Amino acid sequence: MHHPVKLGANDVQWCFSQVKGAIDDDVAEADIISTVEFNHSGELLATGDKGGRVVIFQQEQETKGQPHSRGEYNVYSTFQSHEPEFDYLKSLEIEEKINKIRWLPQKNAAQFLLSTNDKTIKLWKISERDKRPEGYNLKEEDGRYRDPSTVTTLRVPVFRPMDLMVEASPRRVFANAHTYHINSISVNSDYETYLSADDLRINLWHLEITDRSFNIVDIKPANMEELTEVITAAEFHPNQCNTLVYSSSKGTIRLCDMRAAALCDKHSKLFEEPEDPSNRSFFSEIISSISDVKFSHNGRYMMTRDYLSVKIWDLNMENRPVETYQVHEYLRSKLCSLYENDCIFDKFECCWNGNDSVVMTGSYNNFFRMFERGHRRDLTLEASRESSKPRAVLKPRKVCAGGKRKKDEISVDSLDFNKKILHTAWHPQDNIIAVATTNNLYIFQDKMN
Amino acid sequence: MSTENQETEAQFESEEEKQDSQEKNSNPVKAEEAKLKAKYPNLGQKPGGSDFLMKRLQKGQKYFDSGDYNMAKAKMKNKQLPAAGPDKNLVTGDHIPTPQDLPQRKSSLVTSKLVG
């Protein structure tokens, strides 16, 4: 049921904060954003694109002069993470597109993240340099070597401040472990290991070891003709280091316990909502395919996204989700054309807010949706240049499914299916969200005071 | 008498039509499925099954047949080389691939537009 969100004193009012990227409509392939991720403190926001590049934004410290607005996100570092490759042995073209970025929790001054394309995962170290040694005895300041015979006195080099330089360097390359295309990476709560999942297998890595990984899930059938489902996403539990989940193209989620066996082909739990047989159609399996799975921060629930809905599962109940939210139910009467233009295969992601009370996911026409769990309220907002005046409050949107279209509503037939929001991220503590349209990154935050 | 029968028949038909549109309203997905099957009668019996999954697994696969290449080269010795078709990514058969036809595989040296 749709309940219009009443924007009262205690409700969040979402406002435009920033937008990054080119304004022109002619989008280069390389600029298509493919992943968005806040780090654990929310201070850093990373994006990956189809051109294999990573851009990291850093939130400015709140200034005393502007106590009522949060710091802006500005470019902190950018680097080429992956390059296009060709596997000559298999005659396979390997895209440089960054499929996922996952941050490691911060252990020292440097920041670390994992970025992956279809075949190779890389660990990147991002470090700051704001001092440099000066006063060498044998070197000039510009680096040229001095003639030792001209040195008459000795001095101790000292560190002097310099303009901040942020350097990104690849510290580990985890390669050659995936025959199929990597769709997920997830850092374990032990902060020592992580998993990578492709269509048919999940591997466990140690962050320090690049020359081998353990295969923990393998769903490849002995005879490929018998292939009926693939792995679509996988994630480690946020605080139980032995637990992971993976979702499938048939709409099931399997929870595995690594203590049970070395090879977790046998699941500990199978989450599946039984389908009403009278609803079965050609489209059933395709729209039930899960495109994303995310644990709640508290580890008690998990959320899945299929083509038309978002479902919240209690880890203690396997036979059905505890909550189901319809993202764009009006698309049911458009499935034929959505199949023809391939949109039915779009992979939408979803995310939780910091205290697991609200979930968010994207839709078409640059709309994105939020579902407030406790109050069973939902909100549709739009990421567009038209609503991008600084601190402008976003106006809720409504799609008219049929019948008389009210003023300000948009009819289903007017939706632009090329404007899809697949990737969104929510700051771990604050009401700040990052929403990626095809080639632009929008940052919205709640109105303060 | 015959006119009466015709009238009854006509009524009957319109009731059927009414039933059809009611069904469409109550199950839009079934209507969409019917639309699809009407457009593509040969659509696979196993929806979302092996064919579609195999296509997903084979993403990125490029094909080159050296036999085709040499045959085409021999055939075309005295004639003009056929140019690449509209889809330059499909380099097979009679068309002789040239370095210009192959998709550019350089990495983007351009900075992302998200940076200022």
Side-chain angles (χ1 to χ4, degrees):
Chain A
M1 272 292 282
H2 270 302
H3 291 287
V5 175
K6 296 193 184 78
L7 302 174
N10 298 321
D11 292 351
V12 175
Q13 280 187 294
W14 289 100
C15 305
F16 171 83
S17 176
Q18 297 170 269
V19 61
K20 310 275 183 192
I23 298 174
D24 56 85
D25 282 331
D26 195 17
V27 183
E29 281 267 309
D31 292 323
I32 296 173
I33 299 171
S34 50
T35 186
V36 183
E37 187 84 353
F38 279 101
N39 76 336
H40 294 259
S41 66
E43 188 206 349
L44 299 177
L45 175 61
T47 62
D49 65 23
K50 215 166 175 206
R53 301 164 300 189
V54 170
V55 183
I56 301 174
F57 302 93
Q58 181 190 43
Q59 191 180 30
E60 298 299 324
Q61 298 293 334
E62 281 165 40
T63 53
K64 292 231 168 75
Q66 284 192 302
H68 296 302
S69 80
R70 294 192 192 80
E72 272 196 346
Y73 282 85
N74 296 321
V75 179
Y76 179 66
S77 172
T78 180
F79 53 92
Q80 185 77 37
S81 172
H82 287 71
E83 311 229 337
E85 287 175 70
F86 196 86
D87 182 337
Y88 294 98
L89 205 59
K90 295 181 188 165
S91 202
L92 196 68
E93 194 172 51
I94 301 167
E95 264 193 301
E96 65 274 37
K97 172 167 78 87
I98 309 294
N99 293 333
K100 287 278 157 39
I101 288 173
R102 289 288 181 264
W103 290 93
L104 265 58
Q106 191 172 13
K107 280 199 269 195
N108 52 39
Q111 299 279 356
F112 288 87
L113 61 81
L114 288 170
S115 71
T116 187
N117 69 349
D118 282 339
K119 297 286 182 181
T120 305
I121 307 122
K122 295 188 185 180
L123 177 70
W124 286 89
K125 176 180 179 182
I126 298 108
S127 47
E128 294 184 359
R129 194 194 290 267
D130 62 356
K131 290 186 269 284
R132 67 158 170 248
E134 285 175 20
Y136 283 102
N137 294 289
L138 295 173
K139 261 199 298 194
E140 302 285 358
E141 293 309 324
D142 60 11
R144 281 179 304 143
Y145 281 97
R146 283 162 101 180
D147 178 357
S149 59
T150 64
V151 177
T152 51
T153 56
L154 287 179
R155 56 186 177 172
V156 178
V158 290
F159 276 96
R160 294 219 188 281
M162 60 179 257
D163 286 340
L164 179 67
M165 211 166 72
V166 181
E167 300 168 322
S169 61
R171 303 304 286 176
R172 306 267 187 280
V173 177
F174 305 90
N176 302 319
H178 286 279
T179 306
Y180 303 99
H181 300 102
I182 298 173
N183 52 57
S184 312
I185 47 175
S186 178
V187 184
N188 197 327
S189 52
D190 66 8
Y191 301 158
E192 285 188 346
T193 58
Y194 75 94
L195 65 78
S196 57
D198 67 30
D199 294 307
L200 297 177
R201 299 190 177 104
I202 302 179
N203 293 332
L204 181 71
W205 302 83
H206 191 286
L207 285 163
E208 299 291 325
I209 300 167
T210 58
D211 64 354
R212 70 205 110 112
S213 70
F214 286 109
N215 174 244
I216 52 176
V217 174
D218 188 339
I219 67 166
K220 185 178 179 193
N223 182 359
M224 283 300 268
E225 303 276 306
E226 289 161 12
L227 181 71
T228 55
E229 67 183 323
V230 295
I231 296 169
T232 52
E235 192 176 62
F236 267 124
H237 190 277
N239 47 58
Q240 290 167 21
C241 58
N242 54 288
T243 304
L244 66 111
V245 290
Y246 68 92
S247 59
S248 85
S249 54
K250 273 182 147 175
T252 63
I253 310 102
R254 286 173 178 79
L255 185 142
C256 300
D257 185 336
M258 295 196 296
R259 297 169 303 187
L263 194 58
C264 297
D265 281 358
K266 240 181 157 170
H267 53 261
S268 297
K269 292 191 184 181
L270 175 66
F271 297 83
E272 187 174 15
E273 183 169 27
E275 192 199 8
D276 183 354
S278 66
N279 280 338
R280 183 110 196 125
S281 75
F282 175 85
F283 304 110
S284 297
E285 195 172 303
I286 301 172
I287 62 172
S288 72
S289 177
I290 292 170
S291 49
D292 195 14
V293 64
K294 292 263 171 51
F295 279 105
S296 61
H297 291 94
N298 61 21
R300 290 172 49 200
Y301 300 95
M302 66 179 174
M303 163 168 55
T304 56
R305 174 70 154 97
D306 51 70
Y307 190 61
L308 298 177
S309 69
V310 160
K311 293 178 181 172
I312 308 234
W313 305 77
D314 183 322
L315 294 186
N316 296 313
M317 188 159 77
E318 296 166 63
N319 61 350
R320 58 176 171 82
V322 287
E323 292 153 46
T324 300
Y325 300 103
Q326 298 302 331
V327 181
H328 35 221
E329 181 77 352
Y330 45 78
L331 295 184
R332 263 187 211 277
S333 55
K334 296 278 166 210
L335 292 179
C336 181
S337 40
L338 292 169
Y339 177 87
E340 289 180 294
N341 62 19
D342 274 355
C343 282
I344 206 174
F345 300 108
D346 284 336
K347 297 181 177 62
F348 291 96
E349 290 174 8
C350 53
C351 62
W352 298 83
N353 74 339
N355 61 15
D356 300 330
S357 60
V358 185
V359 296
M360 169 167 65
T361 190
S363 179
Y364 294 105
N365 211 68
N366 282 348
F367 287 174
F368 56 101
R369 304 263 282 139
M370 288 184 187
F371 302 99
E372 211 176 329
R373 298 177 63 205
H375 302 102
R376 291 236 139 218
R377 284 193 301 203
D378 62 278
L379 179 63
T380 305
L381 296 172
E382 182 180 359
S384 81
R385 293 269 174 178
E386 278 79 52
S387 344
S388 51
K389 280 207 270 293
R391 291 182 294 281
V393 176
L394 298 182
K395 197 171 134 182
R397 297 274 178 242
K398 192 141 197 307
V399 177
C400 167
K404 260 191 127 176
R405 186 177 75 87
K406 299 199 191 96
K407 178 176 180 274
D408 287 348
E409 282 186 357
I410 299 173
S411 81
V412 186
D413 297 310
S414 316
L415 295 175
D416 188 340
F417 291 97
N418 290 318
K419 292 191 176 161
K420 45 193 101 174
I421 290 178
L422 303 173
H423 313 285
T424 59
W426 205 309
H427 189 286
Q429 275 111 37
D430 291 337
N431 275 333
I432 304 173
I433 55 176
V435 174
T437 59
T438 306
N439 63 328
N440 283 178
L441 182 72
Y442 285 79
I443 297 171
F444 302 109
Q445 51 189 22
D446 67 351
K447 191 178 164 104
M448 294 184 83
N449 80 295
Chain B
M1 273 251 253
S2 53
T3 10
E4 273 179 14
N5 281 346
Q6 277 174 0
E7 276 172 14
T8 332
E9 271 174 21
Q11 250 186 5
F12 191 69
E13 269 166 29
S14 68
E15 268 173 17
E16 270 185 344
E17 279 168 23
K18 243 199 230 167
Q19 251 188 355
D20 274 347
S21 68
Q22 268 177 5
E23 272 170 8
K24 277 186 188 154
N25 288 336
S26 58
N27 197 341
V29 180
K30 289 281 191 216
E32 290 296 298
E33 185 180 30
K35 229 193 273 178
L36 195 69
K37 288 209 165 129
K39 267 195 188 176
Y40 309 102
N42 296 324
L43 204 52
Q45 296 311 303
K46 267 210 294 185
S50 296
D51 289 343
F52 146 65
L53 291 179
M54 289 306 284
K55 191 172 154 196
R56 178 189 173 130
L57 296 181
Q58 277 168 8
K59 169 194 162 198
Q61 199 76 55
K62 295 291 172 198
Y63 296 99
F64 174 78
D65 189 315
S66 60
D68 276 348
Y69 178 87
N70 288 310
M71 291 287 285
K73 223 168 143 185
K75 238 194 277 176
M76 294 296 154
K77 229 183 189 165
N78 300 320
K79 300 179 203 161
Q80 208 179 11
L81 293 173
D87 188 348
K88 289 199 174 166
N89 286 325
L90 282 178
V91 181
T92 55
D94 282 339
H95 166 61
I96 298 172
T98 62
Q100 295 93 292
D101 295 337
L102 296 173
Q104 289 305 309
R105 309 221 72 257
K106 286 202 282 282
S107 66
S108 35
L109 301 168
V110 182
T111 313
S112 162
K113 295 202 179 97
L114 295 182
V115 179

Short mmCIF file of all heavy atoms in Angstrom, two decimals, chain A residues 391-416:
data_model
loop_
_atom_site.label_atom_id
_atom_site.label_comp_id
_atom_site.label_asym_id
_atom_site.label_seq_id
_atom_site.Cartn_x
_atom_site.Cartn_y
_atom_site.Cartn_z
N ARG A 391 20.74 22.44 -1.34
CA ARG A 391 19.86 22.28 -0.18
C ARG A 391 18.37 22.33 -0.53
O ARG A 391 17.53 22.50 0.33
CB ARG A 391 20.17 23.31 0.92
CG ARG A 391 21.52 23.05 1.59
CD ARG A 391 21.81 24.04 2.71
NE ARG A 391 21.97 25.41 2.22
CZ ARG A 391 23.06 25.88 1.66
NH1 ARG A 391 24.10 25.09 1.49
NH2 ARG A 391 23.12 27.14 1.25
N ALA A 392 18.06 22.16 -1.82
CA ALA A 392 16.65 22.13 -2.20
C ALA A 392 16.04 20.82 -1.73
O ALA A 392 16.62 19.76 -1.91
CB ALA A 392 16.52 22.24 -3.72
N VAL A 393 14.85 20.90 -1.12
CA VAL A 393 14.19 19.69 -0.64
C VAL A 393 13.64 18.93 -1.84
O VAL A 393 13.03 19.51 -2.73
CB VAL A 393 13.04 20.05 0.33
CG1 VAL A 393 12.28 18.80 0.75
CG2 VAL A 393 13.59 20.77 1.55
N LEU A 394 13.85 17.63 -1.87
CA LEU A 394 13.37 16.82 -2.98
C LEU A 394 11.88 16.59 -2.87
O LEU A 394 11.35 16.30 -1.79
CB LEU A 394 14.10 15.47 -3.00
CG LEU A 394 15.61 15.51 -3.21
CD1 LEU A 394 16.16 14.10 -3.25
CD2 LEU A 394 15.96 16.24 -4.48
N LYS A 395 11.22 16.68 -4.01
CA LYS A 395 9.78 16.47 -4.02
C LYS A 395 9.47 15.00 -4.26
O LYS A 395 10.04 14.39 -5.16
CB LYS A 395 9.22 17.30 -5.18
CG LYS A 395 7.77 17.53 -5.13
CD LYS A 395 7.38 18.53 -6.21
CE LYS A 395 6.15 17.98 -6.92
NZ LYS A 395 5.67 18.74 -7.99
N PRO A 396 8.61 14.41 -3.46
CA PRO A 396 8.27 13.00 -3.68
C PRO A 396 7.62 12.82 -5.06
O PRO A 396 6.90 13.69 -5.52
CB PRO A 396 7.25 12.69 -2.58
CG PRO A 396 7.45 13.74 -1.57
CD PRO A 396 7.93 14.96 -2.30
N ARG A 397 7.91 11.69 -5.69
CA ARG A 397 7.37 11.40 -7.01
C ARG A 397 6.33 10.30 -6.93
O ARG A 397 6.35 9.49 -6.00
CB ARG A 397 8.51 10.92 -7.93
CG ARG A 397 9.57 11.97 -8.16
CD ARG A 397 9.19 12.87 -9.30
NE ARG A 397 10.18 13.90 -9.52
CZ ARG A 397 9.92 15.20 -9.39
NH1 ARG A 397 8.73 15.61 -9.04
NH2 ARG A 397 10.87 16.09 -9.65
N LYS A 398 5.47 10.26 -7.91
CA LYS A 398 4.48 9.17 -7.94
C LYS A 398 4.27 8.74 -9.37
O LYS A 398 4.17 9.57 -10.28
CB LYS A 398 3.16 9.67 -7.34
CG LYS A 398 2.18 8.55 -7.08
CD LYS A 398 1.42 8.73 -5.77
CE LYS A 398 0.77 7.45 -5.31
NZ LYS A 398 -0.08 6.77 -6.27
N VAL A 399 4.20 7.42 -9.56
CA VAL A 399 3.93 6.89 -10.89
C VAL A 399 2.48 6.46 -10.95
O VAL A 399 1.98 5.78 -10.06
CB VAL A 399 4.84 5.67 -11.19
CG1 VAL A 399 4.50 5.06 -12.54
CG2 VAL A 399 6.31 6.08 -11.14
N CYS A 400 1.83 6.88 -12.02
CA CYS A 400 0.42 6.53 -12.19
C CYS A 400 0.35 5.24 -12.99
O CYS A 400 0.78 5.19 -14.14
CB CYS A 400 -0.28 7.68 -12.89
SG CYS A 400 -1.89 7.23 -13.50
N ALA A 401 -0.21 4.19 -12.37
CA ALA A 401 -0.22 2.89 -13.04
C ALA A 401 -1.27 2.78 -14.13
O ALA A 401 -1.12 2.08 -15.08
CB ALA A 401 -0.42 1.79 -12.01
N GLY A 402 -2.34 3.48 -13.96
CA GLY A 402 -3.40 3.39 -14.97
C GLY A 402 -4.51 4.33 -14.59
O GLY A 402 -4.47 4.96 -13.54
N GLY A 403 -5.48 4.45 -15.44
CA GLY A 403 -6.59 5.33 -15.10
C GLY A 403 -6.17 6.78 -15.19
O GLY A 403 -5.22 7.13 -15.87
N LYS A 404 -6.84 7.59 -14.46
CA LYS A 404 -6.59 9.04 -14.57
C LYS A 404 -5.30 9.44 -13.89
O LYS A 404 -5.06 9.13 -12.73
CB LYS A 404 -7.77 9.80 -13.95
CG LYS A 404 -8.76 10.31 -14.98
CD LYS A 404 -9.75 11.28 -14.37
CE LYS A 404 -9.74 12.57 -15.19
NZ LYS A 404 -10.74 13.52 -14.72
N ARG A 405 -4.48 10.13 -14.65
CA ARG A 405 -3.22 10.60 -14.11
C ARG A 405 -3.44 11.92 -13.38
O ARG A 405 -3.96 12.86 -13.96
CB ARG A 405 -2.21 10.77 -15.24
CG ARG A 405 -0.81 11.13 -14.78
CD ARG A 405 0.13 11.21 -15.97
NE ARG A 405 -0.08 12.42 -16.74
CZ ARG A 405 0.50 13.58 -16.48
NH1 ARG A 405 1.32 13.68 -15.46
NH2 ARG A 405 0.24 14.63 -17.24
N LYS A 406 -3.02 11.94 -12.11
CA LYS A 406 -3.18 13.20 -11.38
C LYS A 406 -2.04 14.13 -11.76
O LYS A 406 -1.03 13.72 -12.30
CB LYS A 406 -3.15 12.93 -9.86
CG LYS A 406 -4.26 12.02 -9.40
CD LYS A 406 -4.48 12.16 -7.89
CE LYS A 406 -5.39 11.06 -7.39
NZ LYS A 406 -4.63 9.92 -6.84
N LYS A 407 -2.22 15.39 -11.40
CA LYS A 407 -1.18 16.39 -11.66
C LYS A 407 0.08 15.98 -10.93
O LYS A 407 0.03 15.49 -9.82
CB LYS A 407 -1.69 17.74 -11.14
CG LYS A 407 -0.72 18.90 -11.27
CD LYS A 407 -1.40 20.18 -10.79
CE LYS A 407 -0.47 21.37 -10.92
NZ LYS A 407 0.41 21.55 -9.75
N ASP A 408 1.23 16.17 -11.55
CA ASP A 408 2.53 15.83 -10.96
C ASP A 408 2.83 14.34 -10.96
O ASP A 408 3.92 13.94 -10.57
CB ASP A 408 2.67 16.34 -9.51
CG ASP A 408 2.86 17.84 -9.48
OD1 ASP A 408 3.10 18.42 -10.56
OD2 ASP A 408 2.75 18.42 -8.40
N GLU A 409 1.89 13.52 -11.36
CA GLU A 409 2.19 12.08 -11.47
C GLU A 409 2.77 11.81 -12.84
O GLU A 409 2.53 12.57 -13.78
CB GLU A 409 0.90 11.26 -11.28
CG GLU A 409 0.50 11.13 -9.83
CD GLU A 409 -0.69 10.20 -9.66
OE1 GLU A 409 -1.22 9.71 -10.68
OE2 GLU A 409 -1.06 9.96 -8.50
N ILE A 410 3.52 10.73 -12.93
CA ILE A 410 4.09 10.35 -14.23
C ILE A 410 3.48 9.02 -14.64
O ILE A 410 3.40 8.10 -13.83
CB ILE A 410 5.62 10.23 -14.10
CG1 ILE A 410 6.19 11.57 -13.69
CG2 ILE A 410 6.26 9.76 -15.40
CD1 ILE A 410 7.65 11.58 -13.36
N SER A 411 3.08 8.93 -15.87
CA SER A 411 2.47 7.68 -16.31
C SER A 411 3.55 6.67 -16.65
O SER A 411 4.66 7.03 -17.04
CB SER A 411 1.56 7.91 -17.51
OG SER A 411 2.34 7.97 -18.68
N VAL A 412 3.22 5.40 -16.52
CA VAL A 412 4.19 4.32 -16.76
C VAL A 412 4.79 4.42 -18.16
O VAL A 412 5.97 4.15 -18.36
CB VAL A 412 3.51 2.94 -16.60
CG1 VAL A 412 4.54 1.84 -16.71
CG2 VAL A 412 2.80 2.86 -15.27
N ASP A 413 3.97 4.83 -19.11
CA ASP A 413 4.45 4.90 -20.49
C ASP A 413 5.43 6.02 -20.73
O ASP A 413 6.14 6.03 -21.73
CB ASP A 413 3.25 5.03 -21.45
CG ASP A 413 2.35 3.82 -21.38
OD1 ASP A 413 2.89 2.71 -21.49
OD2 ASP A 413 1.13 3.99 -21.21
N SER A 414 5.49 6.98 -19.81
CA SER A 414 6.43 8.10 -19.97
C SER A 414 7.77 7.84 -19.30
O SER A 414 8.68 8.66 -19.39
CB SER A 414 5.87 9.39 -19.37
OG SER A 414 4.54 9.53 -19.72
N LEU A 415 7.88 6.71 -18.59
CA LEU A 415 9.13 6.43 -17.87
C LEU A 415 10.27 6.19 -18.85
O LEU A 415 10.10 5.53 -19.88
CB LEU A 415 8.97 5.20 -16.98
CG LEU A 415 7.98 5.31 -15.83
CD1 LEU A 415 7.86 3.96 -15.13
CD2 LEU A 415 8.43 6.37 -14.83
N ASP A 416 11.42 6.71 -18.53
CA ASP A 416 12.60 6.51 -19.37
C ASP A 416 13.36 5.30 -18.82
O ASP A 416 13.96 5.37 -17.74
CB ASP A 416 13.48 7.76 -19.34
CG ASP A 416 14.62 7.69 -20.35
OD1 ASP A 416 14.96 6.58 -20.78
OD2 ASP A 416 15.17 8.75 -20.69
#
